[in-house]
Amino acid sequence: MSGMNALLEIKNLSKLFHGPAGSRIHVLDGINFTIDSAGNDDRLTSVLSPAGAGKTTLLKIISALEKPSSGEVILKEKKYLQPDGSIVYIPENASSFPWMSVNENIEFALNLKKISKEEVKKRKDEVISLVGLSGYGNHYPHEKSSGFRFRISLARALAIQPEVILLDDCFKNLHSETKKELHDLIKSIKQQLNVSFILATSNISEAIDLSGNILLLKKNPGKIFRQINVIEFNKNHQGEDKNVSLKSEIEKSFEHADERMNIF
Amino acid sequence: MSKKAYHKNSRILLTGLFFIWLILFEFVIPGNGFLPKPSIVFLSFGSLIKDYHLWRNFGVTVSEIYFALIISYFVDWLLCKYITGNEWFFSALDAFYKLFKFLPAVILGMFLILWFPNSNFNGVIFSLLIFIIPMAVKVKEESYKVKPEYIDAATSLGAGKNELSKNVIWKAVQPSLLNYIFELHYLAWLLLIVFEFMKGGYGLGSIYRDALRYKDLSALFSISIITGITIFAGFYLLKYFKNKFIHWSNF
C-alpha cells in the first residue's frame, strides 16, 4: 500500500546495536508498513508486542530521534531525516517539563515554529480546551497526576499540528479510571483533528479499543509478523464481541509466533 | 533526632556559648590573651568603621563576590550550549578545573597579585574564576543525568541545540546547580578573604591583615562576627531564591 495515499511509509527498517566485545544485537529487522492519509486505520495504528521487542526503538527511528541501520521513513513522499515537529514522539513517562507551567509548555513548542504571538495564543487556547486543561494554564506538571502530565504532552504536540503523533506506551502506568478518560480523549481527538497516531503498547485490550489497525511485532529480532485491520475484522465477524474474538485471534497469532503476551 | 530538633539544639548551644563568653570574659577573666571583653568588642565596631574603613572594605568584598556570582551564572547560561554540546570547549574548561582541583586556588591568587599589583579588578577576576569554571563543570556533569524523555520530547518537537540547552538542559540542572552554588558561595568567601589578606589594599581580608598586624584582638573578633553574619545572610538569600524560583525537584 504505497503511493499517492501514503502519509507515512516505513520501508525495510532494521536496527543493529553494537554490544560489548564486538557482539551485535539485532533489535529490528525489515519493518515495513504504511499509514495512509485517508484514515483507513481509523487514524490510529497500534504496534503490539511483548516488552523488549523494540517498540521504543521503532518509534524513535520513525521520529528521527535515532538513525536506522538500514531502511527509511518517508513522510508525505519525502524522507524524514531530521526531527522537525512533523512527527512528534511522546515518551512512556510523560515528558512535560516540570519547570514550565501548562501555558509555557505549550508556548515552548509553538515558539519553535516561529509563528506570530496572536497565533500562539489562539492555538494554545484551542489545544488547552481540546485536551481538557481549561483553567489549569498556570499550573505546573508536578503539582498534578500522571494523567495531567500526559494531557500537557499531548496538548504541546497537538499545538504544532503534526502529521503523526507517536505514543510510546503512554498509558502503561496509569490508574484504570485515568486510562479510560485518556482513551476517550484520544478517540475524540482522532475524530476532530486531521492527525494520525501510532501507539506502541503491550496491552491487547488497549490496542483493540483504540486502533483501526494493529501490527503484531515479535521479538529477537523485532519483526512485524501480522497486520490486522480492526475495521475489516469486525466486518467479517459481525455479531461477535470484538474484544473476545479479536483478542483470541491476537493471542493465537502470538502463540504461533512463539511469543507470550502479558495481558493486562 | 529530627532536623528541626537539631536546629533548635544548635541555636540553644550557640546562645549558651554567647552568654558564657559574656559572663566569663566581661566579669570573671576580663584581661586575657584569648578572647576580648564583650564591652570592648561592642566599642570596637566604632573603631572598625572609623579606623579600618569597614563600609568601604565590606562593600568591596560583598560586591566582588555577588557580582562574580551573578556574572558567572549569566555567562554559564550563555555558554550552556557549548558546555554541554561542544566536547573541545568543555575539555579546555575541565583541564583548567582539574589543574586547580589539585593546586590550591590561592596560588592563582598570588599570581594575579604579582601580574596586576595595582589593579582594582583582580579580586573580581579571582572571584569569577572561583565561580565560573566549577559551575560550568557542574552543569556538564548534571547534563548527563537529565531525563532522556525531556531531550527526546523537545527534539521531536523540532528543538535545535540552542533551544535544548537553554530551555531543557539548563533548566533541568538548576536544582543541583543551586545546591552547588551554596557550597561555592562559602568557598568564594574563604578564598577571597585570603586573597585580600595577601594583597592588602581593599576588602575585608585587608581588615584582617591590619588587625593582625596591630594585634587588635577586639577588631579581629568583631570583623569575624560581621563576616559570619554576612555569609549567613548571603546563604539564606540564595536559599530564598532557590525556593522561590526553582520549584521543581531534581530530575
Side-chain angles (χ1 to χ4, degrees):
Chain A
M1 195 170 47
S2 89
M4 294 303 282
N5 278 336
L7 170 68
L8 181 73
E9 289 177 85
I10 308 300
K11 288 184 172 174
N12 275 323
L13 220 64
S14 294
K15 181 73 180 177
L16 276 168
F17 282 117
H18 295 275
S23 64
R24 297 203 303 174
I25 305 153
H26 210 160
V27 180
L28 296 171
D29 181 32
I31 304 281
N32 286 290
F33 67 91
T34 303
I35 291 177
D36 70 31
S37 49
N40 289 336
D41 64 345
D42 196 20
R43 297 228 169 272
L44 197 147
T45 291
S46 284
V47 179
L48 181 65
S49 81
K55 294 187 294 287
T56 297
T57 307
L58 176 61
L59 294 198
K60 283 190 176 182
I61 293 172
I62 294 172
S63 55
L65 291 170
E66 270 188 36
K67 297 216 179 312
S69 303
S70 63
E72 51 195 22
V73 176
I74 295 168
L75 180 71
K76 286 189 159 176
E77 299 177 357
K78 280 183 190 163
K79 284 187 185 178
Y80 193 68
L81 301 170
Q82 288 290 327
D84 64 4
S86 304
I87 301 176
V88 175
Y89 171 73
I90 302 182
E92 180 180 327
N93 296 313
S95 56
S96 46
F97 305 134
W99 47 88
M100 292 180 185
S101 65
V102 172
N103 283 334
E104 288 163 345
N105 262 284
I106 298 166
E107 282 163 6
F108 166 76
L110 286 166
N111 288 334
L112 295 171
K113 295 286 143 198
K114 312 269 186 286
I115 51 179
S116 68
K117 276 186 183 174
E118 293 76 30
E119 185 67 12
V120 166
K121 192 183 177 313
K122 185 176 154 260
R123 284 208 214 167
K124 185 183 74 185
D125 292 345
E126 276 171 12
V127 291
I128 280 182
S129 153
L130 189 68
V131 302
L133 288 175
S134 299
Y136 291 98
N138 293 321
H139 286 245
Y140 284 87
H142 56 279
E143 293 170 354
K144 304 276 173 185
S145 64
S146 310
F148 183 82
R149 290 195 282 276
F150 174 74
R151 282 175 199 264
I152 301 173
S153 298
L154 185 63
R156 196 172 59 185
L158 291 168
I160 58 169
Q161 300 172 345
E163 302 289 345
V164 184
I165 295 177
L166 310 176
L167 306 172
D168 189 359
D169 231 345
C170 294
F171 312 111
K172 194 167 127 186
N173 299 318
L174 299 176
H175 187 269
S176 59
E177 215 167 280
T178 311
K179 198 182 278 191
K180 169 86 176 57
E181 280 174 22
L182 295 179
H183 283 183
D184 291 343
L185 175 66
I186 296 287
K187 286 177 196 167
S188 139
I189 288 168
K190 283 195 305 179
Q191 283 173 354
Q192 292 180 61
L193 300 179
N194 189 24
V195 60
S196 290
F197 291 89
I198 298 177
L199 167 71
T201 181
S202 307
N203 187 326
I204 300 178
S205 305
E206 186 172 272
I208 294 171
D209 184 32
L210 289 173
S211 20
N213 195 26
I214 302 175
L215 308 170
L216 306 186
L217 184 77
K218 73 173 197 69
K219 65 189 212 186
N220 299 328
K223 196 173 176 71
I224 291 171
F225 65 95
R226 193 174 170 196
Q227 182 166 343
I228 302 171
N229 188 300
V230 180
I231 302 158
E232 279 178 23
F233 183 91
N234 288 340
K235 270 186 205 162
N236 299 333
H237 294 78
Q238 276 180 349
E240 295 174 29
D241 183 342
K242 88 167 176 179
N243 281 326
V244 177
S245 52
L246 186 50
K247 201 169 182 176
S248 112
E249 180 80 16
I250 291 169
E251 281 168 350
K252 273 183 208 160
S253 296
F254 272 105
E255 275 166 26
H256 287 142
D258 286 324
E259 295 286 338
R260 286 181 168 201
M261 281 296 288
N262 283 323
I263 301 159
F264 291 45
Chain B
M1 193 188 289
S2 73
K3 203 174 171 185
K4 211 173 173 183
Y6 164 77
H7 281 301
K8 191 184 168 193
N9 286 351
S10 47
R11 271 197 297 269
I12 292 170
L13 191 71
L14 280 175
T15 316
L17 283 173
F18 174 77
F19 279 106
I20 289 170
W21 169 64
L22 200 71
I23 294 161
L24 206 64
F25 290 87
E26 185 69 40
F27 305 110
V28 185
I29 41 167
N32 69 87
F34 295 101
L35 290 176
K37 266 178 80 173
S39 56
I40 291 183
V41 169
F42 183 73
L43 290 172
S44 75
F45 283 107
S47 154
L48 270 183
I49 293 168
K50 202 175 148 209
D51 304 327
Y52 290 90
H53 307 290
L54 174 69
W55 298 127
R56 186 192 67 190
N57 289 317
F58 179 80
V60 167
T61 305
V62 167
S63 56
E64 278 173 352
I65 285 190
Y66 295 101
F67 175 76
L69 174 55
I70 292 164
I71 293 293
S72 301
Y73 188 82
F74 182 67
V75 168
D76 283 338
W77 172 73
L78 275 180
L79 297 178
C80 183
K81 181 182 165 184
Y82 303 101
I83 294 167
T84 57
N86 186 318
E87 293 307 320
W88 282 105
F89 182 83
F90 178 70
S91 297
L93 283 180
D94 194 46
F96 200 75
Y97 175 71
K98 283 203 171 78
L99 180 71
F100 285 96
K101 200 174 170 184
F102 301 108
L103 194 68
V106 283
I107 293 170
L108 176 70
M110 290 178 198
F111 280 106
L112 282 173
I113 293 166
L114 285 175
W115 290 336
F116 313 106
N118 301 316
S119 170
N120 290 328
F121 298 105
N122 48 15
V124 177
I125 295 166
F126 185 62
S127 307
L128 278 170
L129 290 172
I130 295 167
F131 283 116
I132 210 161
I133 295 169
M135 273 166 68
V137 173
K138 186 70 179 174
V139 168
K140 177 72 172 180
E141 282 173 1
E142 293 299 317
S143 73
Y144 291 120
K145 300 178 196 163
V146 176
K147 270 187 178 178
E149 286 96 326
Y150 296 149
I151 310 275
D152 287 341
T155 309
S156 89
L157 289 166
K161 278 188 175 174
N162 220 15
E163 290 92 2
L164 269 182
S165 68
K166 285 202 166 46
N167 292 305
V168 181
I169 297 171
W170 177 256
K171 297 282 185 178
V173 304
Q174 286 309 294
S176 307
L177 181 64
L178 263 289
N179 286 338
Y180 186 59
I181 287 174
F182 295 161
E183 292 170 31
L184 278 182
H185 170 251
Y186 176 74
L187 187 72
W189 269 98
L190 173 79
L191 291 173
L192 190 63
I193 285 175
V194 173
F195 175 79
E196 288 168 347
F197 184 92
M198 293 188 302
K199 187 186 160 224
Y202 299 113
L204 287 179
S206 70
I207 297 184
Y208 283 97
R209 179 189 166 110
D210 292 341
L212 207 62
R213 196 168 54 176
Y214 303 130
K215 295 188 172 58
D216 188 345
L217 188 64
S218 53
L220 200 62
F221 199 80
S222 45
I223 192 65
S224 309
I225 292 171
I226 290 171
T227 309
I229 290 171
T230 312
I231 296 174
F232 179 81
F235 173 76
Y236 271 89
L237 196 65
L238 288 172
K239 209 168 178 185
Y240 170 79
F241 278 117
K242 190 194 169 203
N243 293 339
K244 177 102 178 148
F245 299 109
I246 316 292
H247 48 77
W248 58 97
S249 62
N250 268 2
F251 316 110

